[in-house]
Amino acid sequence: MQTAEVVIIGGGIVGSSIAYHLTAAGCKEVLVIERETAQGKGSTGKSMGGVRAQFATPVNIQMSLYSIPFYASFDERLGYPADYRPQGYLFCATNEKHLAYLRTNYQKQVAMGLKNVWLIGAEEIRDRFPQMRSDDIVGGSFCSTDGFVDPYSAMIGFMTWAADHGAKLWKHTEVTGIQRGVDGITAVETSRGPVSTRNVVNAAGPWAKPVAEMAGVDLPVEPLRRMLVPTEPFDQFPHSAPMIIDMSNGFHFRPEALGFLLAWNDPEETPGFKTDFDPAFIEKILTRAADRVPVFENLAVNPKRAWAGLYEMTPDHHPILGEAPGATGFFLANGFSGHGVMHAPATGKILSDLILTGKTDLIDASLLNLARFAEGRTIHETAVL
Ligand SMILES: Cc1cc2nc3c(=O)[nH]c(=O)nc-3n(C[C@H](O)[C@H](O)[C@H](O)COP(=O)(O)OP(=O)(O)OC[C@H]3O[C@@H](n4cnc5c(N)ncnc54)[C@H](O)[C@@H]3O)c2cc1C
């Protein structure tokens, strides 16, 4: 029988970052199991690649304070590119309530040690982006180290570095069962046969719940469809722009190649494994785009290039990290609620710490454990895009 010190189920960006951090910490036998023939077919390959520290809860800010500098030094550290572009995130408030909310978040972010974040006046937003309709904009917040990465490259970089240093990746291999004895995990069953191990990490993205069920663990993670619309080349808005968020309706966009990438989370979307792109979404999003940026009326969109993917949602919009209660050796790295790319570096470090030493200094890990739901300790993140 094959053996591994740690088996990671799922070769997306989260599983790959955990493999990197474990290997970098000296763990010799790390095995990543991915059922697809190639990495990136889950949520990671569908992501918008936004990275930000402008969050509302201290624990999310802390995760970003590790992750964003990590992305900034990724190429140097790993020798592979993550394509970090610090173009910023600009939240545009359209009423006093939004502004008060941004002010409170700003104070938390600064108190946690975030630099390069500031509140910005309506006038400055107008000056920087005269193309935007700003009659209702009352101010905003901007962080210059927020920005974008290429999720696919970062995932491949993490996994390739780990493989260069002894980790293994089995592609086209499905985990079909998880064996537990009285002392905890004993093995996983796969389409390639069983693997004996004491430690298993669930990094199965939107499929985390069925994977947890294999270990007898009930996980509150639900898949939720998100759609993105890339535009054809467009030069009537600056390509140096940050991610811009219209807080009046949640529409946001960023430059991508010669065009723009448009996003809006339809509140009518319902949970489920739906990954087909709904062509009716194009009109909905273009209406919002042209409402905020009138020249976007001239955008051209090829519906065939638009896509849909799955967020992995938890009830409080925070991930679930750490060992599952009552299932020794079964670790969770799930439910990123739209932030799995930006928080992958911190997640890798936290999981590696917890597996190898039982504790971590990066966050108070009890805040994000699964037990918080049963114990009524949920912490709500409201800055979800
Ligand atoms: C449209 C869209 C936009 C997004 N934008 C952003 C953004 O701007 N910033 C951000 O930070 N995040 C964003 N996200 C969220 C982010 O993409 C995810 O949180 C992240 O990719 C999760 O990574 P993962 O590795 O956990 O999951 P995945 O990438 O889904 O990887 C899980 C892997 O597990 C494998 N698997 C599942 N079950 C099994 C099994 N039984 N055996 C073997 N393998 C299995 C799957 O094949 C898959 O490859 C976005 C998501 C979507 C859909």
Side-chain angles (χ1 to χ4, degrees), residues 10 13-14 34-35 43-44 47-48 50 175 206 312 338-342:
I13 196 164
V14 170
E34 169 54 56
R35 69 177 165 200
S43 297
T44 302
S47 171
M48 197 173 188
V175 172
E312 334 86 63
H339 312 131
V341 168
M342 63 184 90

Side-chain angles (χ1 to χ4, degrees), residues 295-343:
V295 287
F296 277 177
E297 228 172 53
N298 308 324
L299 284 174
V301 163
N302 176 355
K304 290 199 182 120
R305 292 183 56 233
W307 70 87
L310 297 167
Y311 269 21
E312 334 86 63
M313 303 302 286
T314 63
D316 65 359
H317 301 139
H318 281 84
I320 301 171
L321 306 181
E323 200 170 33
T328 305
F330 185 57
F331 290 86
L332 307 164
N334 306 119
F336 293 91
S337 307
H339 312 131
V341 168
M342 63 184 90
H343 285 164

Side-chain angles (χ1 to χ4, degrees), residues 182-198:
V182 276
D183 297 333
I185 296 289
T186 55
V188 294
E189 287 158 19
T190 82
S191 51
R192 267 206 213 187
V195 181
S196 164
T197 186
R198 306 289 298 168

Side-chain angles (χ1 to χ4, degrees), residues 131-172:
Q131 303 86 345
M132 278 207 295
R133 181 179 62 78
S134 55
D135 53 337
D136 60 344
I137 293 182
V138 292
S141 73
F142 179 76
C143 177
S144 62
T145 42
D146 289 351
F148 336 121
V149 297
D150 175 358
Y152 183 84
S153 297
M155 173 190 70
I156 295 294
F158 274 133
M159 194 61 236
T160 311
W161 191 99
D164 290 346
H165 294 80
K168 285 194 195 127
L169 168 64
W170 287 1
K171 290 188 265 195
H172 206 189

Side-chain angles (χ1 to χ4, degrees), residues 5 45 51 65 71 126 183 201 237 335 353:
E5 197 174 332
V51 297
L65 286 175
Y71 277 129
R126 241 167 254 140
D183 297 333
V201 184
F237 200 88
D353 287 349

